[in-house]
Amino acid sequence: MTKFSRAFWTANLSELFERMAYYAIFIVITLYLSNTLGFNDIEASLISGLFSGGLYFLPMFTGAFADKIGYRKAILIAFTLLTIGYLGLGMLPVMLESAGLVEYGEKTHFTGLETSSLRLLIVPVMVILVIGGSFIKSIISASVARETTSETRARGYSIFYMMVNIGAFTGKCFVDPMRSIVGDEAYIYINFFSATLCFIALLTIFFFFHSANTSGEGKSMVEVFRGLGKVFTNGRLLLLILIVTGFWMIQHQMYATMPKYVIRMAGETAKPGWIANVNPFVVVIFVNIITQLMAKRKALTSMAVGMFLIPLSALIMASGNLFEGDIFGMHPITVMMIAGIAVQALAECFISPRYMEFFSLQAPKGEEGLYLGFSHLHSFLASVIGFGLSGILLTAYCPDPALYDSVEAWKADAANAHYIWYWFTGIGAISAIALIIYAKATKNVK
């Protein structure tokens, strides 16, 4: 621990709080949009995809801006906006209920909200969250780059990624117990929990984050945009981003498709929050082990191992329909989803820390925020395309039971719900093969 500065640990602690807040919300974001605000599957997926995509697109610009104004100021702005945004997600339903458009309780009863334009007030709230979150995406990971050396960087990103997943695991732990107590109202209350965490992170940065590494700060806007142009014309990095997008499209289904899929297929007692927590649990246990195991291997070699695991994970998720009766006391859909997510988490251990390390090594000194912000472009593409595809596939193969007059009619239309995961198996396989070709083609490129 003494190899890293106080700024390194403070940044990682604030990342822990931010990830707890984010994943507590994101695991139920499509349920919040549908069950709380009355959007259908396609609308909810589109909004969620644009929200998630914005969080990954804007860091290319907010990262460059952070290089200009300094990381401490940028992080303070970020957590202020996040606190306001999460409060907005909690207060919006209260306002809609007071307007007589909806009645919240264990089950939500719409009294005009589905056709009211007032529910579109979610847009400015999410814009605030996107701007705040986009600063975090680039700055914290770039702070790791600044606060480590070439000898400690891989280890530093491994610690960073472990903190991310501890936050992801902890945040999701609150959702399902709350659902079991208050039902649909849990999708409202969880927002106040996230706002509190972001306020704590804001105080942590204000009092404890002081970095001695400020190289590159104070750039002119001409220099900032010159740097952006240089990154956008780097064909080698752009191609890698497009390939890795396939991995993240599948990874994002843990939030886009899985919550609605397991509740509809395994019943209302299904616990998507706990199922999704298999991912950070496995990552926290194995990320350091795998990073050390692959330390002497090239970053692209480690990533290739993960890329071949990801289509296998989707295939496992599709196999829940092959079993009849409970497995280990759980619905087979739940069991196979857990198994698939566990394999997905192992793939993430091979890919994500080394991917961030690869990008940080491409960054000239003083431009880490810009390059690490650009590295998230894959998740922008994966969010917009992956969430959009999720809404279409859910509507086609696993529609909302509330739209049907009888259970039999719904079962007939949901008989091939597992086909959803075949689509993502194919996407993962294509991406894995593409990475192998990319690694061979760029082997001698510096």
Side-chain angles (χ1 to χ4, degrees), residues 358-434:
F358 182 87
F359 257 82
S360 71
L361 292 173
Q362 314 306 309
K365 194 170 182 61
E367 295 186 359
E368 294 90 350
L370 171 63
Y371 273 73
L372 268 298
F374 182 77
S375 74
H376 294 293
L377 182 60
H378 63 72
S379 277
F380 161 71
L381 297 171
S383 294
V384 175
I385 300 170
F387 272 84
L389 183 58
S390 170
I392 294 169
L393 294 177
L394 280 169
T395 302
Y397 297 114
C398 187
D400 187 350
L403 301 175
Y404 289 79
D405 294 329
S406 68
V407 174
E408 290 73 20
W410 173 79
K411 284 184 176 180
D413 278 0
N416 295 318
H418 59 288
Y419 282 14
I420 292 172
W421 305 107
Y422 292 152
W423 280 79
F424 293 109
T425 300
I427 290 169
I430 292 170
S431 299
I433 294 169

Side-chain angles (χ1 to χ4, degrees), residues 78 90 110 156 176 215 291 358:
F110 296 111
D176 288 324
S215 58
T291 299
F358 182 87

Side-chain angles (χ1 to χ4, degrees), residues 173-190:
C173 285
F174 293 89
V175 177
D176 288 324
M178 199 176 293
R179 279 183 64 235
S180 66
I181 296 171
V182 298
D184 283 354
E185 283 190 295
Y187 307 136
I188 301 173
Y189 296 153
I190 198 67

